[in-house]
Amino acid sequence: MSIHKGKILLLAISALVLAGSACLFSPSDKGTGGSDYYSPVDTPQKLLDNFKLAYTTKNLNAYMECLHEEFEFMLLEIDWEDYTGNGEIDQSWGRDIEESMTENMFNSTDAEIIELTLDGDTESVWYGDSTNATLQLVRSFDLKVYYWDGDEQKGYHAVGLAVFLCKPNEDGDYQIWRWEDLSET
């Protein structure tokens, strides 16, 4: 074996050993068992990554883990109606209706594929929380929910802005407390 080939082999083996040892000293905070979900969810960005993954994989349990127990979804005026059945027009809904609506969408044959992109990095302390624990994240989004009808793609496409108010739950994991939809379409 030439010296050149021997050095390359030694460098390759060293790189593999260093890469392997880096994993020991810098463990990932992704979930166990092959999951791509973060745990703990100690930053709002990890929360949004979990949110997108749950949405696109149609994992209702993981999706609901992203929502705070006091969750509220703020609707566009065009979507105001009586969702609770109490005879009053709702401008928002809570966690229970969000779960029902999302479960219906995830199980619908019209939602064969879901693609969600969230762009932006705006993060600031929300003015309405004197503890400074609630963070406001503004993200542009591109949501496609579709199915294939032969060679034709059919479905729903929404773009716009979303404002997420995120705060830690009792365990310290960030969750979406309030979500304001500012869709354009």
Side-chain angles (χ1 to χ4, degrees):
M1 177 184 296
S2 73
I3 295 175
H4 182 68
K5 287 182 181 176
K7 284 183 179 178
I8 292 173
L9 181 60
L10 182 59
L11 285 172
I13 290 171
S14 298
L16 287 173
V17 169
L18 287 173
S21 66
C23 292
L24 294 173
F25 299 108
S26 302
S28 170
D29 58 354
K30 296 273 185 157
T32 58
S35 170
D36 287 329
Y37 293 99
Y38 286 102
S39 180
V41 186
D42 53 0
T43 68
Q45 186 56 51
K46 290 178 183 177
L47 166 62
L48 291 185
D49 288 345
N50 284 356
F51 176 80
K52 287 189 308 187
L53 183 60
Y55 220 80
T56 58
T57 60
K58 300 190 276 187
N59 183 332
L60 185 62
N61 290 332
Y63 180 79
M64 295 307 295
E65 283 293 317
C66 295
L67 306 182
H68 196 274
E69 65 184 24
E70 299 167 354
F71 173 79
E72 184 176 22
F73 183 82
M74 307 303 293
L75 296 158
L76 292 169
E77 187 173 354
I78 194 169
D79 295 323
W80 292 356
E81 65 178 72
D82 182 10
Y83 292 98
T84 58
N86 64 0
E88 295 179 19
I89 300 298
D90 297 308
Q91 297 178 19
S92 66
W93 63 53
R95 197 171 193 275
D96 56 340
I97 293 177
E98 179 67 17
E99 181 175 18
S100 177
M101 297 284 230
T102 304
E103 182 177 29
N104 289 340
M105 180 180 64
F106 285 179
N107 292 331
S108 171
T109 57
D110 291 343
E112 186 176 295
I113 300 168
I114 299 175
E115 296 174 1
L116 175 62
T117 304
L118 295 173
D119 290 315
D121 59 3
T122 303
E123 181 179 310
S124 60
V125 174
W126 182 57
Y127 67 89
D129 182 357
S130 61
T131 68
N132 294 333
T134 304
L135 300 176
Q136 178 175 287
L137 287 72
V138 178
R139 298 293 185 266
S140 62
F141 68 89
D142 188 343
L143 173 64
K144 298 175 186 169
V145 179
Y146 62 94
Y147 64 99
W148 291 99
D149 185 7
D151 290 341
E152 187 179 357
Q153 183 180 350
K154 295 183 177 181
Y156 175 76
H157 185 212
V159 295
L161 288 176
V163 178
F164 298 101
L165 297 183
C166 307
K167 66 180 182 179
N169 64 15
E170 292 176 355
D171 297 328
D173 286 336
Y174 275 91
Q175 292 180 307
I176 298 169
W177 169 60
R178 183 173 165 184
W179 172 4
E180 186 173 351
D181 180 9
L182 302 173
S183 300
E184 295 171 9
T185 56

